[in-house]
């Protein structure tokens, strides 16, 4: 079932991340599709805050993967880590060899948000939340959730 939402500010996009954090379970994967500037990282900032992460969340564009330990609240649920993966700079699958993405994605103690997931479709589970972000104008975004 697809749901379409519109946000009118970065705060609303982050708030959506907070809401999704309440629904993500251990082993949860969120695949974030959309062009540059469409709101993916802003959404992840809200998601991370909703998972209890207090530090600043910046896109791991140059290092590809950032790992955050989850707070006590989430350890009770079973999830121990949150991974933010940004595949923008990845050309093809050989660029990610040795990063251990298979292990990160399949570990049920992790919650994983992936920007540009189309670059690793082959290793992604069908059990994930797909979100499509579209820039409308200014701070307005269209977000489809599957």
């Amino acid at each position: 079932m697809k749901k379409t939402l519109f946000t009118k500010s970065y705060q609303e996009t982050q708030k959506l991340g907070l809401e999704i954090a309440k629904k993500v379970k251990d082993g949860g994967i969120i695949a974030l599709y959309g062009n540059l500037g469409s709101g993916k990282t802003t959404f992840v900032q809200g998601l991370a805050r909703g998972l209890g992460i207090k530090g600043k969340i910046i896109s791991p564009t140059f290092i590809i993967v950032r790992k955050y330990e989850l707070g006590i609240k989430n350890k009770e649920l079973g999830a121990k880590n949150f991974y933010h993966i940004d595949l923008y700079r990845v050309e093809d699958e050989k660029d990610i060899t040795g990063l251990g993405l298979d292990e990160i994605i399949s570990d049920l103690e992790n919650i994983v948000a992936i920007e540009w997931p189309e670059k690793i479709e082959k290793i992604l589970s069908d059990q994930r939340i797909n979100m499509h972000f579209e820039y409308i104008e200014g701070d307005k975004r269209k977000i489809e959730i599957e």
Side-chain angles (χ1 to χ4, degrees):
M1 185 167 135
K2 193 182 282 191
K3 182 177 185 179
T4 302
L5 304 166
F6 293 88
T7 60
K8 298 179 199 116
S9 67
Y10 77 89
Q11 294 96 335
E12 285 186 12
T13 302
Q14 287 182 349
K15 185 177 178 191
L16 177 60
L18 282 166
E19 294 300 315
I20 297 290
K22 296 174 189 173
K23 298 174 179 156
V24 174
K25 302 197 179 348
D26 23 315
I29 299 170
I30 305 168
L32 308 169
Y33 298 86
N35 293 329
L36 285 173
S38 62
K40 298 180 303 291
T41 300
T42 301
F43 168 83
V44 171
Q45 291 167 342
L47 177 69
R49 198 165 53 241
L51 293 171
I53 298 166
K54 300 201 185 321
K56 185 175 182 180
I57 302 295
I58 56 173
S59 186
T61 302
F62 293 99
I63 60 170
I64 301 175
V65 178
R66 284 192 196 273
K67 176 184 176 184
Y68 303 88
E69 289 187 19
L70 297 178
I72 304 255
K73 172 179 98 169
N74 289 301
K75 285 187 180 177
E76 292 170 4
L77 298 173
K80 294 182 179 177
N81 304 299
F82 170 62
Y83 283 89
H84 182 193
I85 300 172
D86 185 335
L87 301 172
Y88 175 70
R89 295 193 160 290
V90 171
E91 293 290 324
D92 55 44
E93 288 184 18
K94 65 184 173 209
D95 289 346
I96 60 167
T97 304
L99 289 178
L101 293 185
D102 286 349
E103 293 83 9
I104 290 169
I105 291 168
S106 63
D107 188 336
L108 295 179
E109 293 186 338
N110 298 331
I111 294 172
V112 184
I114 306 169
E115 296 187 45
W116 306 93
E118 56 273 20
K119 296 185 178 185
I120 59 166
E121 281 294 332
K122 292 178 188 171
I123 67 169
L124 287 179
S125 163
D126 290 338
Q127 300 299 312
R128 66 182 189 252
I129 298 170
N130 289 321
M131 298 184 69
H132 299 266
F133 291 74
E134 185 181 334
Y135 170 83
I136 304 295
E137 66 177 346
D139 287 337
K140 294 179 184 175
R141 304 292 185 268
K142 175 182 175 184
I143 303 168
E144 292 182 345
I145 305 170
E146 296 174 19

